[in-house]
Amino acid sequence: MKLLKLLVTITAIFAAESAIGGIHHDAYHSFAPFAGCADGDCLIVENTSGERAFSLDTVRWSIGGEFEVRIANLNNKENSTYHYTDDKGVRHSVVNPEWGVVWNYTDSANYDAVVLRSVGGGNYDDIAGKREVEVSLERCSGGKITVVNKVLLEKRVDVATGFNSVKVDIDNGVLTVKIGKYVLVPVFDGVESASRGVCGVMAGSGAKVAIKSVYVYVASDPDNGYSTSWTESSLREHFKQGCDPVEGFWKYLDRRTPGVSVQSGGEYRIAVVKNATGGYDIIYLSGARINVTKWHPGLIKGVLEPSGFVNNYRLTWRDTEKNLLNDDNNANLLMNAILEINFPALKSTLRFSRDE
């Protein structure tokens, strides 16, 4: 569980994972506040600070996923006032504190959120006298909050202290948000959204949020096992330390595809670095022209394994779609200046020359 201010108090009283009506999540990861909590009906996040409080999952998103949570703001009674204390020790009053969910959370100054807040009714000079829930789609970047969209809901949601379900779905970079008391209805749809960071629940100043159930699904990453922490600068520092003849930066030189039309994925710039298994990882740096968005610096483009012959290596290569090509592929280091990559089944050869 992540607490952003010392004045945030969190009381956990939710059911064991196996209990009916308790917190549910998939088998791959858990919602951060679960561990070590006592039995009860739900997790309570009470925020008495002047800053938003967050209760966060532990698994980062990379290409999309789903997050559904059933929550209620217990400090949301009509005609009621609640209190919090800011970081200077000053006590404040608030009517209808905000609550909601977050995703793409990297820190307290950078995240996306759906924020709920009851409006209207007896607490306001509202002619109709009806109470509604104002739902805002927000993006916080560098501590600055931007409201992307906002709607008012009256029907199919609980406008007081009862539970509502909120579902966030990111698929192929497109965000869908659904909310409902019993049945989920679309609120925001077709909004472009990144997929990074973690998801969780937000309690505004003075709010007391009850979390009854949680479901998190993180889409599998096709780069799992192919992502590295290498950057151009860290590779450069690494290469300064050694004298391995294969390691180094390489840039596209030319290609040969006699008799066969093979589409080039780009004029790649790569790095070759020794790995823990005695071979070499080929690290993609730049140059993709096909499926550009699928490739970013630091991904493994291929792997070289010693063949037993001098300056000759078995090659596994990932094509533009990230499919593995390993049918008798091989690579040769020529005169310590040219890296030749051969694809016999495609009758194609790529050549790279030393760079820097």
Side-chain angles (χ1 to χ4, degrees):
M1 182 182 298
K2 188 166 185 176
L3 304 183
L4 301 181
K5 294 289 180 180
L6 292 177
L7 292 174
V8 176
T9 60
I10 294 183
T11 305
I13 50 170
F14 68 93
E17 295 170 20
S18 58
I20 296 176
I23 304 291
H24 302 283
H25 56 85
D26 65 57
Y28 298 103
H29 61 284
S30 63
F31 203 62
F34 288 171
C37 293
D39 288 342
D41 289 330
C42 46
L43 171 71
I44 302 297
V45 182
E46 184 171 9
N47 183 8
T48 58
S49 80
E51 303 289 339
R52 287 177 171 178
F54 303 90
S55 187
L56 304 169
D57 190 22
T58 57
V59 175
R60 292 186 174 275
W61 296 26
S62 60
I63 62 169
E66 297 177 9
F67 172 42
E68 183 174 343
V69 60
R70 189 154 180 80
I71 55 177
N73 184 6
L74 304 182
N75 285 358
N76 195 38
K77 295 179 181 179
E78 191 169 358
N79 300 319
S80 295
T81 301
Y82 304 95
H83 304 281
Y84 66 90
T85 304
D86 65 22
D87 56 3
K88 295 181 180 179
V90 179
R91 194 165 185 260
H92 300 267
S93 299
V94 60
V95 176
N96 300 331
E98 63 181 14
W99 78 105
V101 301
V102 297
W103 65 99
N104 287 341
Y105 182 102
T106 55
D107 56 49
S108 60
N110 296 277
Y111 57 87
D112 293 342
V114 165
V115 178
L116 290 77
R117 185 170 180 267
S118 291
V119 296
N123 287 318
Y124 292 82
D125 184 18
D126 184 74
I127 297 176
K130 64 181 180 180
R131 207 168 189 224
E132 299 173 304
V133 174
E134 180 184 83
V135 184
S136 300
L137 176 60
E138 298 182 356
R139 284 180 176 158
C140 182
S141 178
K144 181 180 179 181
I145 295 176
T146 301
V147 177
V148 179
N149 203 347
K150 184 185 295 186
V151 298
L152 287 173
L153 300 178
E154 177 189 7
K155 299 179 179 179
R156 298 186 179 181
V157 293
D158 191 289
V159 300
T161 59
F163 282 92
N164 290 299
S165 293
V166 182
K167 182 177 182 180
V168 173
D169 186 348
I170 299 179
D171 185 17
N172 291 322
V174 178
L175 168 70
T176 301
V177 176
K178 298 180 179 180
I179 298 176
K181 182 178 180 179
Y182 300 116
V183 178
L184 288 169
V185 295
V187 178
F188 305 117
D189 195 8
V191 181
E192 290 186 8
S193 177
S195 183
R196 60 180 182 275
V198 298
C199 59
V201 171
M202 182 276 292
S205 299
K208 185 177 181 180
V209 179
I211 307 172
K212 192 166 186 65
S213 64
V214 174
Y215 170 77
V216 182
Y217 165 72
V218 179
S220 60
D221 186 352
D223 293 323
N224 183 30
Y226 294 95
S227 296
T228 75
S229 59
W230 288 115
T231 63
E232 180 134 0
S233 58
S234 65
L235 285 164
R236 184 172 287 106
E237 289 302 313
H238 172 76
F239 295 150
K240 288 179 180 178
Q241 308 302 318
C243 56
D244 190 297
V246 183
E247 288 190 320
F249 293 107
W250 299 84
K251 63 182 178 181
Y252 173 83
L253 178 61
D254 59 26
R255 66 188 180 103
R256 297 194 299 269
T257 56
V260 178
S261 178
V262 178
Q263 189 176 26
S264 173
E267 297 185 357
Y268 301 121
R269 184 167 181 268
I270 58 175
V272 178
V273 61
K274 200 168 185 66
N275 60 31
T277 62
Y280 299 87
D281 290 334
I282 301 173
I283 308 297
Y284 171 83
L285 296 176
S286 63
R289 293 182 177 176
I290 297 176
N291 293 327
V292 177
T293 58
K294 290 189 175 183
W295 291 94
H296 60 80
L299 287 180
I300 294 177
K301 181 67 174 171
V303 177
L304 299 174
E305 297 177 351
S307 67
F309 297 95
V310 177
N311 292 333
N312 179 263
Y313 304 88
R314 293 187 295 272
L315 168 70
T316 299
W317 184 261
R318 299 174 78 203
D319 66 12
T320 60
E321 295 284 350
K322 296 183 176 178
N323 299 313
L324 290 179
L325 303 178
N326 52 16
D327 295 334
D328 298 321
N329 302 329
N330 63 84
N332 299 301
L333 181 62
L334 307 176
M335 300 178 293
N336 199 29
I338 303 293
L339 180 63
E340 181 183 75
I341 294 179
N342 302 302
F343 305 93
L346 301 175
K347 298 181 180 179
S348 178
T349 296
L350 285 175
R351 297 201 307 168
F352 296 84
S353 61
R354 291 269 182 198
D355 190 24
E356 300 183 10

